[in-house]
Amino acid sequence: MRRVGCSALRWLACGLAAGFAGVAAAQSLPADLSRAWQATRLPQSSLSLVVQEINGPRLIEINGAVPRNPASVMKMVTTWSSLAGLGPDYVWRTTFLTSGHPDAQGTLLGPLYLKAGGDPLLRIEDLWALLRDLRLRGIKNLSEVVVDRSIFGQVATDPGEFDGAPDRPYNASPDALMVGLGAVRLVFQPDERAHKWIPIVDPPMPEVRISGDIKWSGAVCPGSPSIATDVSRGGKEVVVHVSGTAAGSCGEFSVYRLVMSQPDYFSAVFRMLWQELGGTLGKGIRAGRVPPGATPIVWHDSPILADTIRTINKHSNNVMARTLLLTLGAQKIGPGATMETGGRAALALLNSQQVDTRGWVIDNGAGLARDARLTATGLAQMLGVVWRSPLMSEFISSLAISGTDGTVKRRLRDGEVKGMAHLKTGTLRDSRALAGYVLGASGKRYIVVSLVNDEHSGSVRSFDDALIAWLAAH
């Protein structure tokens, strides 16, 4: 059993420890935690907080039934309901099919069909491997490619709708055939002799070019360079205008940007890769359906769902979470899935687990939404269900580890707290959230859910960190 003296803890955690014993069944904060909360200058009406000892008493509950915007903590709901509803070994399959055969010159008679499976992390190298397999099977010349996205309905979103930043990858629209998360990488190589930055587009699609210039600075590297981008489109050409200044001492750096819709990006990458492999394409790529009787030729299976949710939760990937919710809807309610059917499937599963979802609005399942709502009490109940489930280890391993990785890599790094909590964070303009599990020094484990909605919600971070330190000390 691990024991930690107060001298080894932050000053605040030590003060909080004294008040712990008298908190059983508390509906308010103990004195020292109350002082930590007061330091945030936030009204207590903005806070929903639940602290529950696993297999023990509820230690703190404040405004637990009040629905609040959970920001990216919503991803816990999406990943758990999908893990429980689809199983940890669920995979997404992307399949090429034909109704004919290639002739002696490698020309495929009839279209090549591509059945999208909704893979949330189909990489460019995965698509390349699929196309290479086609070439190995004697297919070289294609008349047209028909892409069947019918597993999802009309789910495309406007990337600029949420916050007016349509080129930022966190705003990517979901799609049944999303490749490389739909984003290009802009690489800037330093030319130290000329004191210039050389831009590279990856993947090197002929439709995309960079204009503008990044100024060279001789300063000591202040950290990751911050540059501005503006994407414009004229006809078939996409122009990414770049501006800003970067210190040469920082070395090569990259930024990711959305430059096309998901279908257009897939088509551009497909053409580039197919040409690199020596293939030809006649009519082009269009949307359609796989006809009955078409024969699968090659396919790609994604990593299993248990591995996929680690990327979603640890790195808070929005478009992958959205795609996962759509997959749940497609598998539980039927093809043509929408965010509405995905949310309905998630709520049905949670209700079957006796989770109180009154007041919940799942929206897009990622938390990048103004109308999404959870309650601290309901989310704590869900985390309790997770703890008692055979799938507990798969879910908890998807959460960021305090002071170690994911979105809390640079938080809670003190020796007494580092590695003692598995957490999901959430951040929006007027919302901050933190939820997960904490292992105390006594060996007891705790569920914690903290949701704050206020225009100054960012100031809650010190309180949340103190709360985790307090629990880790026990």
Side-chain angles (χ1 to χ4, degrees):
M1 184 177 296
R2 179 176 173 273
R3 298 195 180 277
V4 180
C6 273
S7 60
L9 293 173
R10 291 181 178 178
W11 66 270
L12 184 55
C14 291
L16 298 176
F20 185 83
V23 187
Q27 298 299 310
S28 59
L29 296 172
D32 291 313
L33 263 184
S34 180
R35 284 192 288 272
W37 173 257
Q38 289 169 11
T40 69
R41 299 185 180 276
L42 292 165
Q44 189 160 300
S45 60
S46 70
L47 170 69
S48 288
L49 177 64
V50 171
V51 177
Q52 172 81 45
E53 179 185 328
I54 292 177
N55 299 322
R58 177 155 295 183
L59 305 176
I60 304 173
E61 180 171 355
I62 298 172
N63 302 322
V66 176
R68 298 195 192 276
N69 191 325
S72 283
V73 164
M74 180 63 78
K75 293 181 177 71
M76 297 181 98
V77 174
T78 299
T79 52
W80 168 246
S81 57
S82 297
L83 181 65
L86 302 176
D89 58 347
Y90 180 87
V91 296
W92 291 262
R93 175 166 288 187
T94 304
T95 310
F96 280 109
L97 309 94
T98 69
S99 295
H101 301 279
D103 62 18
Q105 287 73 45
T107 300
L108 183 65
L109 304 177
L112 176 70
Y113 298 98
L114 178 48
K115 179 66 174 176
D119 189 339
L121 193 57
L122 181 69
R123 303 170 303 166
I124 290 176
E125 50 265 46
D126 297 328
L127 179 58
W128 177 88
L130 272 172
L131 296 179
R132 180 176 178 273
D133 282 349
L134 285 176
R135 293 288 287 113
L136 288 175
R137 284 157 176 76
I139 298 175
K140 178 181 180 181
N141 307 308
L142 300 174
S143 59
E144 65 175 346
V145 177
V146 177
V147 179
D148 186 341
R149 290 179 165 87
S150 59
I151 188 172
F152 297 162
Q154 298 299 316
V155 298
T157 60
D158 175 3
E161 182 179 5
F162 182 73
D163 60 2
D167 65 343
R168 299 309 168 100
Y170 63 81
N171 278 324
S173 171
D175 190 79
L177 189 53
M178 177 174 61
V179 60
L181 300 176
V184 300
R185 183 169 71 113
L186 308 179
V187 184
F188 296 90
Q189 276 189 332
D191 182 338
E192 295 184 0
R193 290 185 177 181
H195 283 187
K196 290 183 177 180
W197 291 100
I198 302 172
I200 301 171
V201 179
D202 178 28
M205 298 179 294
E207 297 92 341
V208 181
R209 69 177 178 89
I210 298 178
S211 71
D213 186 44
I214 302 298
K215 296 180 180 178
W216 182 279
S217 167
V220 175
C221 184
S224 299
S226 178
I227 68 170
T229 58
D230 182 66
V231 179
S232 61
R233 189 162 190 170
K236 294 183 178 180
E237 184 180 60
V238 177
V239 179
V240 183
H241 183 82
V242 299
S243 60
T245 302
S249 57
C250 291
E252 180 177 304
F253 67 95
S254 302
V255 297
Y256 290 83
R257 292 293 183 263
L258 305 175
V259 300
M260 302 176 183
S261 69
Q262 295 282 14
D264 287 348
Y265 183 69
F266 167 78
S267 295
V269 172
F270 182 101
R271 287 189 177 93
M272 179 196 71
L273 295 178
W274 189 240
Q275 185 177 18
E276 287 180 356
L277 288 165
T280 67
L281 177 60
K283 297 179 183 177
I285 302 171
R286 66 175 176 87
R289 294 291 187 97
V290 175
T295 302
I297 311 173
V298 295
W299 55 86
H300 168 76
D301 285 345
S302 73
I304 61 173
L305 189 149
D307 292 336
T308 300
I309 65 171
R310 291 189 181 97
T311 301
I312 294 174
N313 281 335
K314 284 185 181 289
H315 302 289
S316 206
N317 191 290
N318 290 313
V319 71
M320 289 180 67
R322 293 182 178 196
T323 307
L324 180 57
L325 185 66
L326 289 166
T327 300
L328 182 65
Q331 295 301 320
K332 294 298 182 183
I333 296 179
T338 63
M339 292 302 175
E340 188 276 332
T341 60
R344 185 148 43 95
L347 289 174
L349 183 138
L350 293 169
N351 290 335
S352 73
Q353 296 174 337
Q354 283 73 57
V355 175
D356 185 354
T357 61
R358 287 176 294 179
W360 286 26
V361 179
I362 291 181
D363 199 274
N364 58 34
L368 194 70
R370 303 297 180 198
D371 297 328
R373 294 292 184 272
L374 297 179
T375 59
T377 297
L379 186 56
Q381 286 180 350
M382 189 196 85
L383 294 177
V385 169
V386 172
W387 185 262
R388 297 185 296 272
S389 167
L391 300 174
M392 175 267 289
S393 59
E394 282 82 1
F395 180 78
I396 292 181
S397 68
S398 77
L399 303 178
I401 303 171
S402 56
T404 302
D405 67 3
T407 58
V408 290
K409 183 176 183 178
R410 293 178 174 83
R411 290 177 66 176
L412 302 163
R413 300 180 73 176
D414 287 359
E416 295 77 15
V417 186
K418 184 176 181 179
M420 303 304 288
H422 286 75
L423 302 166
K424 182 73 194 77
T425 61
T427 302
L428 285 178
R429 183 183 61 213
D430 298 330
S431 176
R432 294 293 189 279
L434 183 73
Y437 304 89
V438 184
L439 174 62
S442 66
K444 293 181 179 179
R445 292 186 184 268
Y446 306 94
I447 291 169
V448 59
V449 178
S450 171
L451 308 175
V452 171
N453 288 177
D454 186 271
E455 61 181 340
H456 302 296
S457 61
S459 63
V460 78
R461 175 167 169 160
S462 60
F463 170 80
D464 282 342
D465 286 358
L467 175 62
I468 302 303
W470 176 53
L471 290 171
H474 290 80

